[in-house]
Structure formats: C-alpha cells, structure tokens
Amino acid sequence: MTRSLTILGATGSIGRSTADVVLAHRDEFRVEAVVGGRDAAALAEVARRLGARFAALSDERGGETLKEALSGTGIASGAGQSAILEAVARETDVVLAAISGTAGLAPTHAALKAGRRIALANKESLVCAGEAFMADARRLGVEIMPVDSEHNALDHALAAGLNRDVEKAVITASGGPFRTWSKERIAQADADVASAHPVWSMGSKINIDSATLMNKGLELIEAHHLFGLEAERLDVLVHPEAIVHGLVQWRDGAVTAGLALPDMKVPIANALRHRERLQMDLPRLDLAAIGRLSFDRPDEERFPCLSLAKAALKAGGAMPTVLNAANEIAVEAYRAGRIRFYDISEMVESVCSTFSGRRLSAPAIVADALEIDREAREAAMGLMPAHA
Ligand code: NAD
Ligand code: MG
C-alpha cells in the first residue's frame, strides 16, 4: 500500500537519508510536501527528485528563487511560516519531523494537531515541550514513532514485555570524537575537530552535541517522554562501535536489545512504516566480522553536559526547556569560535541555575515552551563574553 509522506527538514542530514529510503521504494511512498529552512536551490532539488506536490521554505527571502527553480515542474511552492503551515496541513499518512532545533517545535506540533502520524527525529519537540506533545498525542490518538536510533531500538525492545517490568532502559553513546581524550586536550579543541564524528554522519549541531554528550542527555529526556520512564529507570552506556543502540533490562534479569549497523536509514525506514519492515538493501550486520563489542560508563567529569541534562530531567518542570535553549546558544557560539569547549557546559549550568529558583512548571502548551525557550536564550546571550 502506498503511503503519503511530508518531510519537514528535507534538505538536512535526516531529510536526505529519508529521500534515499523513499527513492529506493518508489511504490511504497508518495511525497506530498517537503519543507526546508533557507536553501531554496537544495529544497527545489529534493522536491523534484521526490516528485513532491508542494515545497515550503522557511526563509521568505528565498521564495522567488524557489518558485523559479520549480517552474515548469508543476510543483507548487511557498515561503515563510504560513507556507510551512500549509505544507503541514496537507493530507498525508505520515509527517517525518526532521527540522533541527527549537525551530522544529511549531511545525511538528501543527502536524500532530492535524492528526498526522509523526515519525519524530526532532528530539527538541519532546525535550522542550514533552508534556504538551505527549498529552496532545494521547488526546488525539496520534502515534509518535521515534526516528532517533536509540529510541527506535528501545521501542522494539520494549515491545518484548510490559512497561512496569522494566528495571532499566539504556541508550548507548558512541562517545564522540573526544571519547579517549584528556580533559586538557578537549578544552583546547575547536569546533572543526568536535564536528568530526567517528561513526555517524549527521548535521553539524548534533555533531557538537555528540562531542559534549549533551545529545545523549537530550535523548534521556526524549526517552522519558516517549516511554513514560522516570529518570531512575534510564541510563547511558558508552559503546564506540555503535551497534547496540538501546537495551531494556527486565525485572527478571533478562535483557532485550536493539542492534543494527549505524545507518539512520534503518530507523527512518522503520518509523516511516510504523514498525513494518521494509526491504532495505544495506550492508548486513556481521557480528563475527566485528568480533568484539565494547562498553564503558560515561565520564561525566570530562563530559559535564551529560550530568547537566540528567539534573534537568530529575528537576523536571521547565528545566529541560531551559537547558536545551541555553545549549543551542552555547553551541552556536562555539561553532562560531566565540567560546571554548567547556564554556558550553558552564553557560548551560549558569543559565539553568538562574532559572532553578523560579521553579517553572512544565510547559503545558507549545507556546509556553517557546516563551521559556526565548527567555533562556536571552539569559544565555547575556553570558556571552564581551569581546565576542
Ligand atoms: P540538519 O542541520 O542536517 O538539517 C536540518 C533541516 O532543518 C534542514 O533541512 C534545514 O533546512 C531545516 N531547517 C532549519 N531551520 C529551519 C526552520 N526554521 N524552518 C524550517 N526548516 C528548517 O539536521 P539533522 O542532523 O538532519 O537533524 C534534524 C533533527 O533530527 C534534529 O532535531 C536532530 O537532533 C535529529 N536527529 C538527527 C540525527 C542524525 O543522524 N542527523 C539522529 C537523530 C536525531
Ligand atoms: Mg540518537
């Protein structure tokens, strides 16, 4: 059966992998709309390749370029927030949500409100507004299927038993480029080095989050909302081979794990078909050829962002929203060469402690999450070194 699909963030790393999956299964999918940020040419190209019916660019200034690039194709287009909402409102079976960062919240939530099934890559939706998203999903009977590889693996592992029998759900981290580096050496590393991920090929913001282990921290918060597991039942293991993505330890001591070669096309394909398995012509996992899988506990001394995220998850309320906003600002500044590696965690910690006294409750609606996000960004900007 052909499924119709809208891709938010179609020009990004996840968006391009999704396009590959769709193009390898032309009979299974029909693309309704594609959404991109600023690059009109790249969006036009992916819209053409996928034969989408509609293309929406977030940046209004690129609207004319997009229209010209699509002229003669019969693909309609638009630019700006209203065009994105138009893309999301178009009837489809699945919306793949892969816009990066907080910018993904409003479009993803609009898709959910329209009753679309969500294949969720944009973890920020759950980190910033998890209560709001999950409550609306339950109320509307919308399924949110995780694209994030660890959560996709957990989703399958959890299907082997009852949630109340879960002792621990563990997500793995490859450890990033600094896994074996000393703290002194990490402190000096610039964003180019931090961006070179040893295993996964991803968008640039998430690469830095993998180097700081903030990505794993955000994923703990994501897992908490997706699976209704509290902080005490969630954990992280460092696993450089990135073959085992998620493990569930049951109360009888048995463990169910999800394994795959590290290629986002595997969880993407699965999330697009909501757990049905597509035929994927990818290399197969050959455990004998790999020979050895190794695991380690994360070092929160060298990677303080992980403990900050754990603390935010435990604190609850609006703290994860604050943490994520401060981190986005800090990562942007680090990528621009304005701050050093450990300034990221220091800025995040400092913004979180500024907000902790206010004991803000978890945002019940997305607009509230975006308001707290804005305030936390402002606070983070205020900490930026004066010379920068
Ligand atoms: P990316 O930077 O490669 O791509 C981001 C996409 O979002 C692009 O298409 C960009 O044009 C679009 N975009 C940015 N701002 C926008 C805006 N304001 N309006 C509309 N579109 C906008 O990022 P990515 O690595 O593909 O990650 C996307 C999301 O998926 C992130 O939330 C990330 O955490 C999550 N994720 C990524 C991976 C991965 O392997 N890359 C794995 C798991 C989860
Ligand atoms: Mg992940």
Side-chain angles (χ1 to χ4, degrees), residues 9 11-14 36-37 58 98-100 103 121-124 148 202-203 264:
T11 57
S13 168
I14 293 288
S58 161
I99 292 174
S100 54
N122 178 259
K123 59 192 80 179
E124 293 83 357
D148 217 342
M202 307 178 288
M264 287 307 295

Side-chain angles (χ1 to χ4, degrees), residues 8-16 35-39 56-59 81 84 97-101 103-104 107 120-124 147-150 200-206 209 215 218-219 222 264:
L8 309 179
T11 57
S13 168
I14 293 288
R16 286 193 306 273
V35 170
R38 273 201 288 264
D39 190 340
L57 192 71
S58 161
D59 186 355
Q81 239 6 69
I84 293 186
I99 292 174
S100 54
L120 186 74
N122 178 259
K123 59 192 80 179
E124 293 83 357
V147 167
D148 217 342
S149 50
E150 298 77 5
W200 297 96
S201 128
M202 307 178 288
S204 32
K205 193 261 176 183
I206 191 173
D209 286 344
N215 184 48
L218 299 178
E219 289 183 354
E222 184 186 7
M264 287 307 295

